[in-house]
Amino acid sequence: QVQLVESGGGSVQPGGSLRLSCVASGSTFSSYDMGWYRQAPGKERELVAVSSSGGTTNYADSVKGRFTISRDNAKNTAYLQMNSLKPEDTAVYYCNAHYLSLFRAVNYWGKGTLVTVSS
C-alpha cells in the first residue's frame, strides 16, 4: 500500500551534517506516523525520531539536540536533518510509515540508506 524510498546518506566527517529524505507513495501520507530508525553494525535496529500524524515529535536521547525530523505532506516526504554527527551515528538509516486503526496496525519500511561518520 505504501512504498518508501530513502536518500541522502553518505560519508561525512565528525561534526558534519547530512539531510535524509524519505519519499512515500501509494497511500495518504498525512495519515501515517513517520519515523526514522537506524541499525549500526552489530547492533539492533533502534528508533531515532518519529513524527506523528498529529504533529508530535520524539527523539532518542542519543540524538536530542542534534537531529530534527520534519515532514512535507504536500510532497509526501519526511526528512531527518542530522547535525553534529558523531562516529557512533554510523548506521543504515531506515524510513518507517506506521498506521494504527481500530482494526489493524500497519508498518512499511524503506530499504535504508547508509550514513558513515569517520575522520
Side-chain angles (χ1 to χ4, degrees), residues 27-46:
S27 191
T28 304
F29 179 82
S30 62
S31 298
Y32 288 81
D33 298 337
M34 300 299 298
W36 288 95
Y37 291 71
R38 68 186 182 187
Q39 188 166 20
K43 304 289 186 179
E44 294 185 346
R45 189 175 299 188
E46 65 173 341

Side-chain angles (χ1 to χ4, degrees), residues 26-74:
S27 191
T28 304
F29 179 82
S30 62
S31 298
Y32 288 81
D33 298 337
M34 300 299 298
W36 288 95
Y37 291 71
R38 68 186 182 187
Q39 188 166 20
K43 304 289 186 179
E44 294 185 346
R45 189 175 299 188
E46 65 173 341
L47 176 66
V48 176
V50 61
S51 175
S52 75
S53 61
T56 302
T57 59
N58 290 100
Y59 299 90
D61 288 340
S62 60
V63 307
K64 285 181 179 177
R66 300 188 298 120
F67 291 11
T68 303
I69 187 171
S70 61
R71 62 197 296 167
D72 186 339
N73 290 338

Side-chain angles (χ1 to χ4, degrees), residues 3 5 19 21-25 27 29-30 71-79:
Q3 295 182 9
V5 179
R19 189 192 193 197
S21 298
C22 172
V23 179
S25 63
S27 191
F29 179 82
S30 62
R71 62 197 296 167
D72 186 339
N73 290 338
K75 296 182 178 180
N76 289 348
T77 304
Y79 305 94

